[in-house]
Amino acid sequence: MGSIELKKAGLKVTHPRIKILEILENAANHHLSAEDVYRALLDSDTEIGLATVYRVLTQFEAAGIVKRHHFDGGQAIFELDTGDNHDHMVCMKTGRVEEFKDEMIESRLQAIAKERGFKLSHHSIILYGVYADNEE
Amino acid sequence: MGSIELKKAGLKVTHPRIKILEILENAANHHLSAEDVYRALLDSDTEIGLATVYRVLTQFEAAGIVKRHHFDGGQAIFELDTGDNHDHMVCMKTGRVEEFKDEMIESRLQAIAKERGFKLSHHSIILYGVYADNEE
DNA sequence: CTAGGTGCAAACATTTTGCATGGTT
DNA sequence: AACCATGCAAAATGTTTGCACCTAG
């Protein structure tokens, strides 16, 4: 149950928060926009305002429960923060998102930052392309 | 003069387009939002509608004259497309943006994409942090 | 009981679009 | 002259906020 995460984050255990956590955990696609979450809630007969979805997602982000990404296309995408700091590949044809993590790249980025006197806080790597099995 | 680029792109050589090209070329900071460009135009006593700025920047992007980036913070950032495919480091304190390019990372990304059957079109790498000389 | 959470509608910020007018080739 | 570009205002999008009401602890 997500109630533990919520308490740990100092957030009251409310119906909307539990439901949204469930959606994020169980969704087939783990990368959802606020609108996606909202629709998933409606699909499970849960009436929660879109404003609340945004508020909850923002609180979850502050609490380190979710991560917010800005892929091309305007709206923010959220996913559970598993702690590993993975990066993303986005299929431009289907919208499918996959994750990857590469130590060689990570350490190279650290080195580049160091060379330049840049205190690295976090980074975003996004690969845009098409999965071979999705081509026509 | 930018008129050559414009003609090559099949765009009529108009006052707004020339001016906007000038701004992009001469700005101290080469990474500008549409609003930044708009204000720079006003500062040089050029009255051009914000809608036109957006339209022109979008056309420039389609023509390969500028690149559009989505750094954290909502609005799109534009820069001249020099052809080299550099990446960015963004100072979270000052907003300063620097560029870098690393062949090791590039080739590693290619390899990762290949491994996964992903036809790479382009990528975005953004480092967020603070420049040491900007810390207090 | 009380602090904090929620819903709704309105406000916001950014970007896009319709349409009548104006400028380039 | 024909076509494309521009300005303005309005619309569209994605997200945030004010406020009255409600609920978890």
Side-chain angles (χ1 to χ4, degrees):
Chain A
M1 275 284 104
S3 350
I4 297 121
E5 279 115 301
L6 293 177
K7 276 186 193 138
K8 222 180 340 182
L11 297 170
K12 281 188 183 170
V13 180
T14 66
H15 186 221
R17 286 176 183 155
I18 293 172
K19 273 299 188 182
I20 292 174
L21 214 40
E22 276 180 26
I23 300 276
L24 290 167
E25 282 163 352
N26 304 331
N29 183 336
H30 288 194
H31 297 86
L32 303 171
S33 68
E35 190 74 35
D36 289 337
V37 172
Y38 179 63
R39 267 198 296 270
L41 289 166
L42 293 185
D43 288 352
S44 63
D45 291 312
T46 315
E47 295 278 349
I48 293 179
L50 182 55
T52 298
V53 173
Y54 274 106
R55 267 188 294 231
V56 168
L57 287 173
T58 301
Q59 293 160 342
F60 281 7
E61 186 188 17
I65 298 173
V66 309
K67 288 212 150 193
R68 182 193 305 251
H69 302 290
H70 298 279
F71 302 154
D72 279 7
Q75 81 269 60
I77 298 292
F78 300 85
E79 70 173 329
L80 282 180
D81 185 350
T82 55
D84 77 328
N85 240 64
H86 59 250
D87 297 297
H88 297 90
M89 325 175 46
V90 181
C91 181
M92 297 160 70
K93 200 158 278 176
T94 63
R96 174 173 155 205
V97 177
E98 296 233 335
E99 308 173 355
F100 72 92
K101 187 157 166 57
D102 188 85
E103 291 306 340
M104 195 178 305
I105 291 177
E106 302 281 311
S107 61
R108 194 74 196 102
L109 289 179
Q110 297 283 356
I112 291 170
K114 195 165 190 181
E115 277 168 24
R116 313 262 185 140
F118 189 73
K119 217 162 219 149
L120 194 53
S121 150
H122 62 282
H123 68 255
S124 149
I125 304 181
I126 308 169
L127 271 38
Y128 295 97
V130 179
Y131 281 98
D133 46 352
N134 283 325
E135 269 184 295
E136 45 250 68
Chain B
M1 277 281 105
S3 352
I4 298 122
E5 278 116 300
L6 293 177
K7 276 185 193 140
K8 220 177 346 181
L11 296 170
K12 281 185 182 169
V13 179
T14 65
H15 186 223
R17 286 176 183 156
I18 293 172
K19 274 297 189 183
I20 291 173
L21 214 39
E22 276 180 26
I23 300 276
L24 290 167
E25 282 162 352
N26 304 331
N29 183 336
H30 288 192
H31 297 86
L32 303 171
S33 68
E35 190 75 36
D36 290 337
V37 172
Y38 179 64
R39 267 198 294 269
L41 289 166
L42 294 185
D43 288 353
S44 64
D45 291 312
T46 315
E47 295 277 349
I48 294 179
L50 183 54
T52 298
V53 173
Y54 275 105
R55 267 187 296 232
V56 169
L57 287 173
T58 301
Q59 293 160 342
F60 282 6
E61 186 190 17
I65 298 173
V66 310
K67 287 211 151 196
R68 182 193 304 250
H69 301 290
H70 299 279
F71 302 154
D72 280 6
Q75 81 269 62
I77 298 293
F78 300 84
E79 70 173 329
L80 283 180
D81 185 351
T82 55
D84 79 328
N85 240 67
H86 59 250
D87 296 296
H88 298 90
M89 326 176 44
V90 181
C91 181
M92 296 160 69
K93 199 159 277 175
T94 64
R96 174 172 154 207
V97 177
E98 297 232 334
E99 307 173 355
F100 73 91
K101 188 158 166 55
D102 188 85
E103 291 306 338
M104 195 177 307
I105 291 176
E106 303 280 312
S107 61
R108 194 74 196 101
L109 289 180
Q110 297 282 357
I112 291 170
K114 195 164 189 181
E115 277 169 24
R116 314 260 185 142
F118 189 73
K119 218 162 217 148
L120 195 54
S121 149
H122 60 285
H123 68 254
S124 149
I125 303 181
I126 307 168
L127 272 38
Y128 296 97
V130 179
Y131 280 97
D133 47 354
N134 282 327
E135 269 185 295
E136 46 249 66

